[in-house]
Amino acid sequence: MADELPVIAKCFDLAKEMNERTRKFPRDLRFVLGDRILATTYDVFDALLEAKYSSTKRPMLDRANLLLERLRFQVRLCMLLPGCPETDGRIHKRDRASEYFSYGMAD
């Protein structure tokens, strides 16, 4: 991925990270919130890839931005729910996933 656009490489890393993390969710979270997080992550990745090859990039980048905002809220919600692995309802300051979503979160 070294020759790829940085935003696409980061989104690829994010997709890998979300796959690893949602796999550890308890059953009730995995099949509702986990699936939504993964679907939104893939939608962001798809929008960025489409924008890369499109002559009119703005609409797809606007869509990616909206999807990323949705993903931030989904991850934030997950990090506050009891039973969520690695957080157990608490937000960790130096968590790898929180690096992607640090915008607007309390320290």
Side-chain angles (χ1 to χ4, degrees):
M1 299 237 68
D3 58 337
E4 193 58 73
L5 291 172
V7 68
I8 292 176
K10 288 282 188 184
C11 195
F12 182 83
D13 293 342
L14 175 64
K16 282 181 20 185
E17 183 74 20
M18 289 298 123
N19 267 296
E20 292 171 13
R21 288 187 182 254
T22 57
R23 200 174 298 134
K24 298 175 188 174
F25 283 9
R27 180 177 278 254
D28 59 332
L29 289 177
R30 186 176 345 133
F31 294 114
V32 178
L33 189 54
D35 285 348
R36 292 188 121 202
I37 287 172
L38 286 178
T40 305
T41 302
Y42 296 142
D43 288 344
V44 171
F45 193 57
D46 290 344
L48 292 173
L49 286 174
E50 287 177 36
K52 176 183 176 182
Y53 293 104
S54 175
S55 60
T56 55
K57 296 177 183 342
R58 183 64 189 236
M60 283 166 255
L61 292 175
D62 286 343
R63 173 110 176 103
N65 189 44
L66 176 63
L67 289 165
L68 192 56
E69 185 68 16
R70 182 184 301 164
L71 186 59
R72 280 188 195 104
F73 277 95
Q74 290 168 347
V75 170
R76 193 177 303 162
L77 175 63
C78 176
M79 295 175 85
L80 294 173
L81 292 175
C84 202
E86 300 166 15
T87 62
D88 196 25
R90 295 180 310 274
I91 296 175
H92 295 283
K93 287 186 178 183
R94 293 305 304 158
D95 189 279
R96 280 180 51 198
S98 67
E99 291 174 13
Y100 292 107
F101 302 102
S102 59
Y103 174 75
M105 293 180 69
D107 288 333

